Amino acid sequence: MAFPRLSSAAPAAARPAPHHVAIVMDGNGRWAHKRLLPRIAGHRQGVESLRRCIRACAERGVKVLTVFAFSSENWNRPEEEVSGLMELMGKALANEVPELHRAGIRMYFVGDRVALSARMQQNLAQAEAATAGNSRMVLNVCFNYGGRWDIAQAAARVAATGQPINEESLGRATALAHVPDPDLLIRTGGEHRISNFLLWQCAYSELYFSEKLWPDFDAAALDEALADYAARERRFGKTSAQVAQATG
């Protein structure tokens, strides 16, 4: 199935979108279990949901989309599921990257690549290189990623240079330093936690939890999350009066 062609206009009723949306794509296994299917079937359907979400975000003016595809803790899952996820990633790269490139999406793969096979590392690097000139939207795929790993590797990088370790130097050394911090973090599947995802970057993100399992998350569900975000006041430590004065 080809990646859906992106239209040039957002839906007529769309409100201003957050610049950066991050998503914990949870519920693939439960979706499959409810249908008496193997867990990998849920992950395959999750790829379809991600395709829809990328398209919807781009059409609504989101400039950065960051998704949690495989956490550093997911290695603890059954070996069959882990190998199936690796195979699914390989197929997704082959099938989706050309379409994403044509849609103007720039890809980054964020995470620790040391534990990945040499072939997988090469495929990730090739996908990044192939889409490096695109500017419509940035897609960060967090693969073998953990928030604590990110902070630890950032601290190690700063220490290796001899610079003082502070918020500014750590921020520049994190794996997502190439994009602004997320405005909105969405988690599907009904769980109310962030599971070691973007611990540094989500310090001031708005959190939105959806009961929908990830394979069922569609454009309408995304619009609900965006509408909820649009109704919030983001103060960043200021008072409501200060925010009103600055935006008035």
Side-chain angles (χ1 to χ4, degrees):
M1 180 179 177
F3 184 84
R5 297 296 183 210
L6 294 174
S7 66
S8 59
R15 303 180 185 185
H19 183 91
H20 184 175
V21 174
I23 304 178
V24 179
M25 305 180 294
D26 191 27
N28 291 339
R30 283 174 286 158
W31 183 93
H33 181 73
K34 287 173 62 176
R35 291 160 177 78
L36 304 180
L37 297 171
R39 289 178 61 87
I40 195 63
H43 294 304
R44 292 193 189 100
Q45 193 62 35
V47 173
E48 300 295 324
S49 183
L50 177 56
R51 182 186 292 116
R52 294 194 305 265
C53 188
I54 294 169
R55 180 180 189 269
C57 282
E59 290 182 343
R60 286 153 179 74
V62 173
K63 296 303 180 184
V64 182
L65 173 62
T66 300
V67 296
F68 207 3
F70 188 86
S71 77
S72 51
E73 290 79 22
N74 286 157
W75 294 106
N76 297 320
R77 293 190 174 186
E79 184 178 349
E80 181 181 0
E81 182 174 354
V82 172
S83 61
L85 285 167
M86 293 299 162
E87 182 181 355
L88 185 60
M89 171 59 89
K91 290 181 179 178
L93 288 170
N95 295 334
E96 307 299 334
V97 171
E99 295 293 337
L100 290 168
H101 176 50
R102 283 190 284 272
I105 309 297
R106 181 170 187 176
M107 300 191 73
Y108 289 88
F109 292 91
V110 181
D112 186 2
R113 301 189 189 185
V114 173
L116 305 178
S117 69
R119 182 173 183 179
M120 179 65 77
Q121 292 183 44
Q122 182 181 27
N123 289 342
L124 299 184
Q126 288 176 343
E128 289 178 332
T131 61
N134 297 335
S135 60
R136 180 168 191 181
M137 187 175 78
V138 169
L139 172 63
N140 297 308
V141 179
C142 292
F143 195 73
N144 196 27
Y145 173 88
R148 290 178 175 176
W149 163 84
D150 193 5
I151 295 170
Q153 68 83 31
R157 288 177 61 188
V158 175
T161 67
Q163 301 177 65
I165 297 178
N166 52 42
E167 288 190 25
E168 184 178 354
S169 61
L170 278 177
R172 290 195 303 264
T174 61
L176 278 152
H178 58 281
V179 292
D181 290 344
D183 302 292
L184 172 65
L185 170 64
I186 299 170
R187 180 174 183 140
T188 64
E191 303 290 354
H192 293 188
R193 59 179 181 271
I194 60 176
S195 297
N196 198 23
F197 185 46
L198 306 183
L199 298 181
W200 179 272
Q201 295 83 359
C202 283
Y204 271 97
S205 300
E206 298 294 324
L207 306 182
Y208 179 87
F209 299 101
S210 171
E211 294 298 317
K212 285 185 176 292
L213 302 177
W214 175 245
D216 295 326
F217 194 83
D218 55 14
L222 175 67
D223 284 338
E224 289 180 7
L226 297 183
D228 184 89
Y229 168 85
R232 301 186 189 186
E233 180 183 70
R234 307 193 73 206
R235 296 190 295 273
F236 298 99
K238 298 180 180 179
T239 66
S240 295
Q242 287 175 303
V243 172
Q245 184 178 19
T247 58

